[in-house]
Amino acid sequence: MENSKQMRTWLDDLKLDHPLVIAGPCSAETEEQVLGIAHSLKDTDVNYYRAGIWKPRTRPGNFEGVGALGLKWLQKVKAETGMKTATEVANRAHVELALEHDIDLLWIGARSTVSPFIVQEIADALKGTDKIVLVKNPVNPDLALWLGAVERLATADIKNLGVIHRGFSTYEKTKYRNIPEWQMPIDLQTKFPDLPIINDPSHITGNRDMIFDVSQTALDLNFDGLMIETHHDPDNAWSDAAQQVTPSVLVQIMKDLKIRKEDNTETEYKAKLNNLRANIDIFDNQLLETLGKRMKTSDAIGALKKEKNVAVLQSTRWNEILGAMILEGETKGLSEEFVLRMFKAIHQESIRHQEKIVNG
Ligand code: PEP
Ligand code: MN
């Protein structure tokens, strides 16, 4: 990935005055649906029209896509609206069919990126192509696996590359369908600043009401674009109904998003500030997440103490913790006073939790 500068040539060549937008339905369902949505997205800021033709479903029995027939509909979209087209490919046969039908942008789905065999098969089938190829992050938060897929494509002489951040699956239920783990795309941008990175708020949130906020965070973190699933009748979509928005909602989202162009010092300052603030928000959320988990652990200790009839407050243990944390804090540039105050507050909350359990 030494020539990563080449990777973003395709994006720079588009000379966009706004972030790249890829939009269209999760799945192509019927010719009428594909063309209908496309016509409502024509003459908007949408650059690429997406539709899933082959759908990798986690469980069998869900809609698995219309197959090659849908590629003809995408060709019609291009002929009738001028929009470029995009679809997911997951094996050599998909690649060959997509190329035959002149699809402009191909992406590798999250369930394919996890498999080096599949990624290699796709890379071999695409060897030397000048189509744009975007790699979605693997379902599990593994940066090496994600980068490994990009490397396989780069090694197959595929130059127009990029990545899509669509979040990561967790066993625990969270407010997201796939948690963003923003730190990972941030690390990736630091390592490969020229690799275009697109955010997919639809698969991160799984919920249309959260699309705007996640999109705004992504733009504040300097993502190059967005992929947003758009359907004329989201509630009756054949796949991913809860997360799709209508074309008019998409247009409103694109209008409301604060897109920070870096064209003068004032906006450059604002862009930098927003970027740093977005980073701070991520850390603050991580702090709360960690504190929540810490208090749950305190609750478990409270339950143990109750069982053994032991006092809640054990000051020797507490003094040991505090001493160690002050030293550790110093190595991170945190003042003794701050560490003391913070841990006193944490300790008080912890005691409150334990007392509730012991006396409750
Ligand atoms: C999709 O984009 O419709 C899709 C299946 O996404 P992912 O691979 O991110 O789950
Ligand atoms: Mn989908």
Side-chain angles (χ1 to χ4, degrees), residues 25-27 50 55 57 88 107 136 177 200 202-203 229 239-240 243-244:
C26 175
S27 303
R50 66 151 281 158
K55 300 305 298 176
R57 303 326 300 182
E88 172 175 351
W107 79 83
K136 284 200 167 195
R177 177 176 175 192
D200 173 348
S202 307
H203 291 89
E229 286 188 340
S239 60
D240 290 353
Q243 71 196 31
Q244 303 205 59

Side-chain angles (χ1 to χ4, degrees), residues 337-352:
E337 195 210 341
F338 170 68
V339 173
L340 258 173
R341 283 218 293 211
M342 178 177 66
F343 274 97
K344 269 197 185 141
I346 292 176
H347 190 231
Q348 259 168 27
E349 180 69 5
S350 194
I351 288 178
R352 192 182 70 79

Side-chain angles (χ1 to χ4, degrees), residues 129-171:
T129 185
D130 57 3
K131 300 287 185 191
I132 296 157
V133 184
L134 304 182
V135 183
K136 284 200 167 195
N137 65 254
V139 284
N140 54 322
D142 186 335
L143 187 53
L145 198 55
W146 196 3
L147 285 172
V150 179
E151 279 162 358
R152 282 176 199 280
L153 295 166
T155 306
D157 201 25
I158 298 159
K159 293 193 179 61
N160 300 324
L161 289 172
V163 293
I164 301 174
H165 169 234
R166 51 76 81 194
F168 305 90
S169 63
T170 49
Y171 182 59

Side-chain angles (χ1 to χ4, degrees), residues 31-284:
E31 177 169 351
E32 203 190 356
Q33 173 246 14
V34 168
L35 284 161
I37 300 168
H39 277 280
S40 4
L41 295 178
K42 186 182 149 188
D43 304 323
T44 67
D45 281 347
V46 174
N47 306 105
Y48 285 85
Y49 186 76
R50 66 151 281 158
I53 297 293
W54 301 281
K55 300 305 298 176
R57 303 326 300 182
T58 297
R59 306 282 301 272
N62 293 315
F63 178 56
E64 303 211 333
V66 291
L69 172 67
L71 294 168
K72 300 249 185 290
W73 307 338
L74 284 176
Q75 274 187 305
K76 267 200 181 168
V77 166
K78 187 153 42 175
E80 289 183 17
T81 70
M83 271 189 290
K84 292 187 179 148
T85 53
T87 202
E88 172 175 351
V89 288
N91 60 37
R92 173 178 289 277
H94 295 168
V95 167
E96 285 167 358
L97 283 162
L99 293 179
E100 262 169 45
H101 290 81
D102 202 26
I103 302 296
D104 303 286
L105 182 158
L106 313 176
W107 79 83
I108 299 181
R111 295 164 193 76
S112 301
T113 309
V114 289
S115 164
F117 289 130
I118 281 293
V119 172
Q120 192 59 53
E121 177 180 324
I122 295 170
D124 291 342
L126 280 168
K127 198 168 174 51
T129 185
D130 57 3
K131 300 287 185 191
I132 296 157
V133 184
L134 304 182
V135 183
K136 284 200 167 195
N137 65 254
V139 284
N140 54 322
D142 186 335
L143 187 53
L145 198 55
W146 196 3
L147 285 172
V150 179
E151 279 162 358
R152 282 176 199 280
L153 295 166
T155 306
D157 201 25
I158 298 159
K159 293 193 179 61
N160 300 324
L161 289 172
V163 293
I164 301 174
H165 169 234
R166 51 76 81 194
F168 305 90
S169 63
T170 49
Y171 182 59
E172 270 171 70
K173 281 268 155 284
T174 73
K175 67 173 177 170
Y176 298 105
R177 177 176 175 192
N178 292 293
I179 54 167
E181 299 276 20
W182 291 106
Q183 205 53 50
M184 193 169 312
I186 292 171
D187 289 347
L188 190 132
Q189 286 187 72
T190 310
K191 274 195 184 150
F192 300 99
D194 294 312
L195 182 63
I197 180 162
I198 313 296
N199 181 259
D200 173 348
S202 307
H203 291 89
I204 288 176
T205 63
N207 170 355
R208 67 180 70 95
D209 296 337
M210 291 159 71
I211 302 276
F212 178 82
D213 285 347
V214 168
S215 302
Q216 186 63 66
T217 300
L219 295 185
D220 290 340
L221 291 171
N222 291 337
F223 276 63
D224 296 292
L226 300 167
M227 181 194 254
I228 301 182
E229 286 188 340
T230 310
H231 194 285
H232 65 295
D233 182 11
D235 286 334
N236 292 306
W238 296 3
S239 60
D240 290 353
Q243 71 196 31
Q244 303 205 59
V245 295
T246 59
S248 59
V249 167
L250 177 73
V251 167
Q252 193 60 44
I253 288 176
M254 292 190 290
K255 217 166 113 193
D256 292 344
L257 284 172
K258 290 191 186 60
I259 294 155
R260 284 103 187 179
K261 275 187 262 163
E262 301 187 23
D263 55 8
N264 66 43
T265 44
E266 185 59 17
T267 46
E268 193 175 333
Y269 156 77
K270 282 198 184 131
K272 285 199 176 132
L273 189 65
N274 280 315
N275 178 266
L276 293 169
R277 283 183 174 155
N279 273 283
I280 293 267
D281 288 349
I282 289 165
F283 289 126
D284 284 349

